């Protein structure tokens, strides 16, 4: 290489070095809104972005899983969950979420949207808390309605029920009209015509129901299993005869539970009809039926499946009546509280024929320690009420503590002759969970 060439190259290197220096300086001073790509620099100090979590949020659960969660919520919270978002609404509207739920509503005006929502969720039980209007709309919007309660709706009239039950409702199994004081026999005729599959009918406190209404029930409600006529004061022996298939009535042969509490016109004749016409009867409540006597209980004892008898405050029942019931040997519950003619002798019959008793109520009876010693032989007894038996002492409690090892609840309210030493024998019972020593005092 010549000397001239070397000089030119040296001059070029010097010139290039001088021209690149300002460019480098400009890049160092320049700021950019984004990160420049510099592969020749080390990137070890640059933090990696945190990956977004997938599949951990509750909104990503399958609708079936959400429905299982909602099933365990209180009823009010299930409705609130349906308002969160569309996916929750779809899950909360599944019929499985609302299975067995009873909707409690105040029907003050028509609410088509609400009724449509209940139908979509498959709600089949409806309790009306107060009624002004809209009963017909509610019943027609829920074709699968299984249970309807109008208890305490004093404004319910025959016209309202006739409008609501204008067409047949084959799915309805239970109807509660207790304390609907304006309901008369006219409504029972409509019910017998439109609700032929009805199994439970509550008429407690419907004081305008008469024997004619029971005749209509006996003609139309052949599948009836439970009937409550508490405080239907106009019902007498003829009405019970209709239910039992007497005269022109077809009867209710499937009836298992009959409530006649405070029907004070009933006599032993009604029990005679029941013994022949209600072969499936398991439970009967005759409390405050003051005209029922021991003779009627003789008929009642013939029922082959009778298990529960309530004779509370039946003044005509005595030790002999308990003896008649003991002949059946099938009773599981007996209440003769406030029957002031029942005493220790009745318990001697009970220990012989009622060894399978689970519940026995003897409050305010003529009971002494001798009677409690007989009660102690009922080894399967779980509930015992002997409140206001003022002649019971620690001796009787000692006998109970030794014999009733399966006892779960005992009422000793008003037993003024017992002491803490006697209570020690009761407290040691292995299965005892309820001990009542006062009117409102439960330990």
């Amino acid at each position: 290489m010549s000397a001239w060439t070397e000089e030119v190259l040296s001059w070029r290197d010097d010139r290039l070095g001088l021209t690149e220096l300002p460019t480098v300086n400009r890049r160092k001073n320049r700021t950019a809104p984004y990160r420049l790509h510099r592969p020749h620099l080390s990137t070890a100090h640059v933090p990696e972005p945190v990956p977004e979590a997938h599949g951990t949020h509750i909104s990503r659960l399958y609708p079936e899983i959400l429905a299982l969660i909602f099933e365990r919520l209180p009823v009010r919270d299930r409705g609130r969950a349906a308002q969160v978002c569309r996916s929750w609404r779809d899950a909360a509207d599944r019929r499985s979420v609302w299975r067995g739920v009873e909707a409690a509503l105040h029907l003050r005006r028509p609410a088509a949207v609400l009724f449509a929502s209940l139908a979509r969720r498959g709600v089949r039980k409806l309790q009306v808390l107060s009624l002004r209007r809209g009963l017909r709309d509610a019943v027609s919007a829920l074709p699968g309605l299984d249970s309807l309660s109008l208890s305490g709706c004093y404004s319910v009239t025959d016209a309202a029920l006739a409008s609501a039950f204008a067409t047949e409702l084959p799915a309805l199994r239970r109807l509660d009209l207790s304390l609907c004081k304006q309901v008369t026999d006219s409504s029972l005729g409509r019910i017998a015509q439109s609700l032929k599959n009805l199994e439970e009918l509550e008429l407690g406190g419907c004081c305008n129901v008469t024997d004619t209404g029971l005749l209509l029930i006996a003609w139309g409600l052949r599948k009836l299993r439970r009937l409550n006529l508490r405080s239907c004061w106009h019902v007498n022996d003829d009405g019970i005869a209709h239910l039992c298939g007497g005269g022109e009535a077809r009867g209710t042969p499937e009836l298992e539970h009959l409530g006649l509490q405070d029907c004070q016109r009933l006599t032993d004749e009604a029990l005679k009809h029941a013994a022949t016409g209600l072969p499936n009867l398991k439970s009967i409540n005759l409390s405050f039926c003051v005209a029922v006597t021991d003779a009627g209980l003789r008929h009642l004892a013939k029922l082959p499946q009778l298990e529960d008898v309530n004779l509370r405050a039946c003044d005509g029942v005595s030790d002999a009546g308990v003896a008649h019931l003991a002949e059946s040997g099938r009773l599981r519950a007996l209440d003769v509280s406030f029957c002031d003619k029942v005493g220790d002798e009745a318990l001697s019959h009970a220990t012989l024929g009622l060894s399978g008793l689970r519940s026995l109520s003897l409050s305010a009876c003529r009971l002494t320690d001798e009677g409690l010693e007989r009660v102690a032989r009922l080894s399967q007894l779980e509930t015992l009420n002997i409140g206001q038996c003022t002649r019971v002492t620690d001796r009787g409690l000692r006998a109970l503590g030794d014999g009733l090892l399966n006892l779960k609840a005992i009422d000793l309210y008003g037993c003024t002759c017992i002491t803490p030493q006697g209570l020690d024998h009761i407290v040691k019972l292995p299965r005892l969970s309820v001990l009542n020593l006062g009117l409102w005092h439960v330990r």
Side-chain angles (χ1 to χ4, degrees):
M1 182 181 299
S2 62
W4 183 82
T5 303
E6 293 179 357
E7 184 178 355
V8 170
L9 291 176
S10 177
W11 176 83
R12 185 195 64 180
D13 293 339
D14 294 339
R15 295 290 298 175
L16 288 178
L18 290 174
T19 55
E20 289 180 0
L21 185 59
T23 303
V24 174
N25 291 337
R26 283 197 300 270
R27 287 182 179 178
K28 285 183 180 181
N29 296 330
R30 176 175 137 184
T31 57
Y34 52 85
R35 189 173 61 189
L36 299 177
H37 179 63
R38 298 176 179 177
H40 60 285
L41 298 177
S42 174
T43 59
H45 66 283
V46 180
E48 294 292 334
V50 179
E52 183 181 357
H54 295 282
T56 57
H57 195 269
I58 191 171
S59 62
R60 298 181 180 273
L61 293 177
Y62 290 110
E64 295 81 2
I65 304 299
L66 284 174
L68 290 174
I69 295 174
F70 294 156
E71 289 177 17
R72 290 160 173 77
L73 295 177
V75 175
R76 179 175 295 182
D77 291 340
R78 300 180 202 182
R80 291 171 176 171
Q83 302 175 12
V84 172
C85 61
R86 291 184 179 180
S87 61
W88 280 36
R89 182 197 62 191
D90 295 340
D93 280 351
R94 290 176 175 262
R95 291 176 177 259
S96 61
V97 175
W98 302 91
R99 184 182 294 115
V101 171
E102 182 178 42
L105 306 175
H106 293 277
L107 295 183
R108 299 173 180 173
R109 57 182 180 273
V113 176
L114 174 61
F115 298 149
S117 175
L118 295 177
R120 184 174 65 254
R121 294 170 178 178
V123 174
R124 303 183 61 186
K125 297 181 181 180
L126 177 61
Q127 179 185 8
V128 180
L129 302 176
S130 62
L131 177 64
R132 183 177 299 173
R133 56 181 178 175
L135 179 60
R136 179 180 180 180
D137 296 334
V139 172
S140 60
L142 301 173
L145 195 63
D146 176 77
S147 173
L148 175 61
S149 174
L150 298 169
S151 178
C153 294
Y154 305 108
S155 60
V156 173
T157 62
D158 292 336
L161 293 179
S163 176
F165 302 145
T167 59
E168 290 192 10
L169 298 173
L172 196 61
R173 297 291 189 272
R174 180 180 181 273
L175 177 63
D176 189 348
L177 296 175
S178 56
L179 298 178
C180 296
K181 296 181 179 296
Q182 299 188 54
V183 170
T184 67
D185 296 338
S186 175
S187 292
L188 298 185
R190 173 61 65 180
I191 290 170
Q193 183 178 359
S194 301
L195 311 180
K196 296 185 180 299
N197 293 325
L198 200 65
E199 297 180 359
E200 299 183 20
L201 179 59
E202 298 283 339
L203 296 173
C206 296
C207 52
N208 292 316
V209 171
T210 68
D211 295 337
T212 302
L214 298 188
L215 176 61
L216 297 172
I217 289 176
W219 268 104
L221 304 181
R222 299 281 292 173
K223 298 181 180 181
L224 198 64
R225 296 181 180 274
R226 180 184 293 271
L227 176 62
N228 187 358
L229 299 171
R230 174 178 53 85
S231 299
C232 293
W233 298 314
H234 297 294
V235 171
N236 56 37
D237 297 340
D238 292 337
I240 304 302
H242 295 326
L243 295 177
C244 299
E248 300 178 355
R250 300 170 61 185
T252 53
E254 301 298 323
L255 199 63
E256 297 179 355
H257 306 277
L258 180 59
L260 301 173
Q261 178 182 355
D262 200 27
C263 295
Q264 299 187 12
R265 294 190 178 188
L266 298 181
T267 67
D268 296 336
E269 191 68 19
L271 302 186
K272 182 178 180 180
H273 294 308
T276 57
L278 301 176
N280 294 315
L281 196 65
K282 296 180 180 180
S283 171
I284 186 168
N285 188 338
L286 295 167
S287 56
F288 299 96
C289 294
V290 294
V292 171
T293 68
D294 297 335
L297 299 185
R298 182 189 294 273
H299 298 296
L300 204 62
K302 298 177 182 179
L303 289 170
Q305 299 189 42
L306 191 64
E307 297 180 350
D308 186 348
V309 178
N310 191 333
L311 299 169
R312 188 182 185 90
C314 291
D315 297 336
V317 174
S318 67
D319 295 338
V322 177
H324 294 322
L325 294 176
E327 294 176 0
S328 67
R330 292 177 296 273
L331 289 187
R332 295 293 179 267
L334 176 62
D335 189 346
V336 289
S337 299
F338 300 96
C339 296
D340 53 9
K341 297 180 181 178
V342 174
D344 294 341
E345 185 179 349
L347 297 176
S348 63
H349 300 295
T351 54
L352 294 176
L354 301 177
S355 58
L357 273 179
R358 300 293 194 279
S359 176
L360 178 61
S361 295
L362 299 164
S363 299
C365 290
R366 295 183 294 105
L367 191 63
T368 66
D369 292 333
E370 184 178 352
L372 287 188
E373 290 174 352
R374 296 169 183 173
V375 171
R377 302 173 190 172
L378 302 173
S379 59
Q380 300 186 41
L381 202 62
E382 297 179 354
T383 302
L384 177 62
N385 297 322
I386 54 174
Q388 302 184 50
C389 294
T390 56
R391 288 186 284 181
V392 169
T393 68
D394 293 347
R395 170 190 162 191
L397 298 187
R398 185 183 303 110
L400 296 180
D402 294 336
L404 302 182
L405 300 181
N406 290 316
L407 196 66
K408 297 180 180 179
I410 185 170
D411 175 22
L412 297 173
Y413 164 67
C415 297
T416 55
C417 293
I418 62 176
T419 67
Q421 289 73 25
L423 290 177
D424 290 339
H425 299 286
I426 300 298
V427 173
K428 71 177 183 179
L429 289 171
R431 303 184 64 184
L432 189 71
S433 58
V434 177
L435 172 60
N436 186 18
L437 297 175
L439 186 60
W440 304 111
H441 188 193
V442 178
R443 293 182 180 177

